[in-house]
Amino acid sequence: TLSQSVHATMFAMTSAALAIVLARYSAQSEVLFGCPIANRNSDTQDVIGPFAGPMAMRLDLSGDPSLRDLVVLAREETIEALDNTNIPFEMLFERLKVRSVDGRNPLFQFYFTYQIAVTQSRQVGNLAISPLPASGLGTPYEFQLSLLERPEGVSARLEYNSDLFHAETM
């Protein structure tokens, strides 16, 4: 109801909630996390499918914003980020002269995905598309939260680097 009242998607709503958790546990008023984004034009989308690259999302919680204000901010930041998808993430790294340290992403250590699951098989030309069961692939980030929306509800998967975190504290 809240996300609908401010014309925000569930991605914006859950991004705002995530930002609150990250800010509280990190004692920081500004949080930065990565999320997947498809950065191609509509001419190629049907040909190569929904492949995605990382996008950095920054949310500022200074001034103790209300949840409503934070959802609006998340919606606006998402729209702004989507307006700049023509710049590949790798090019941004190159221009900023950013280097990874020990294989860790220097822009963000946390990755967040919210997906609406494909629940029905379908045929596209000679290609048969079938949904796969949810499974963890590991993560190159310190930790990753994935939400998957299906008709029966939303499921969550948290993956983390066990060299940095313990199961009890995650």
Side-chain angles (χ1 to χ4, degrees), residues 20-77:
I20 292 168
V21 172
L22 291 175
R24 181 158 295 156
Y25 280 97
S26 67
Q28 301 291 313
S29 62
E30 185 176 65
V31 295
L32 181 67
F33 56 91
C35 53
I37 186 72
N39 60 343
R40 71 181 119 299
N41 63 45
S42 58
D43 295 338
T44 59
Q45 178 70 25
D46 291 339
V47 177
I48 62 175
F51 296 103
M55 168 181 79
M57 283 284 294
R58 181 184 309 267
L59 294 175
D60 185 355
L61 286 76
S62 61
D64 197 26
S66 68
L67 178 57
R68 179 185 202 84
D69 291 341
L70 198 51
V71 171
V72 169
L73 176 63
R75 182 195 71 210
E76 291 169 356
E77 290 294 326

Side-chain angles (χ1 to χ4, degrees), residues 10 78 168:
M10 283 303 293
T78 301
E168 310 81 56

Side-chain angles (χ1 to χ4, degrees), residues 9-15 35-36 112-117 145-150 153-155:
T9 63
M10 283 303 293
F11 174 80
M13 179 71 185
T14 53
S15 293
C35 53
F112 172 65
T113 61
Y114 187 100
Q115 298 177 346
I116 298 174
L145 175 63
S146 301
L147 300 179
L148 183 63
E149 182 180 328
R150 294 191 169 158
V154 177
S155 63

Side-chain angles (χ1 to χ4, degrees), residues 70-90:
L70 198 51
V71 171
V72 169
L73 176 63
R75 182 195 71 210
E76 291 169 356
E77 290 294 326
T78 301
I79 290 169
E80 184 176 335
L82 291 171
D83 284 343
N84 293 294
T85 59
N86 59 332
I87 302 169
F89 195 71
E90 293 77 16

Side-chain angles (χ1 to χ4, degrees), residues 93-150:
F93 256 56
E94 188 178 293
R95 290 209 177 144
L96 292 174
K97 298 186 186 334
V98 176
R99 302 222 187 288
S100 65
V101 176
D102 296 328
R104 293 171 58 197
N105 186 317
L107 293 183
F108 48 82
Q109 287 76 42
F110 189 82
Y111 203 68
F112 172 65
T113 61
Y114 187 100
Q115 298 177 346
I116 298 174
V118 174
T119 58
Q120 301 294 320
S121 296
R122 60 183 173 167
Q123 193 77 27
V124 179
N126 293 329
L127 180 66
I129 301 171
S130 300
L132 294 173
S135 63
L137 301 174
T139 179
Y141 304 100
E142 291 182 14
F143 50 105
Q144 174 175 310
L145 175 63
S146 301
L147 300 179
L148 183 63
E149 182 180 328
R150 294 191 169 158

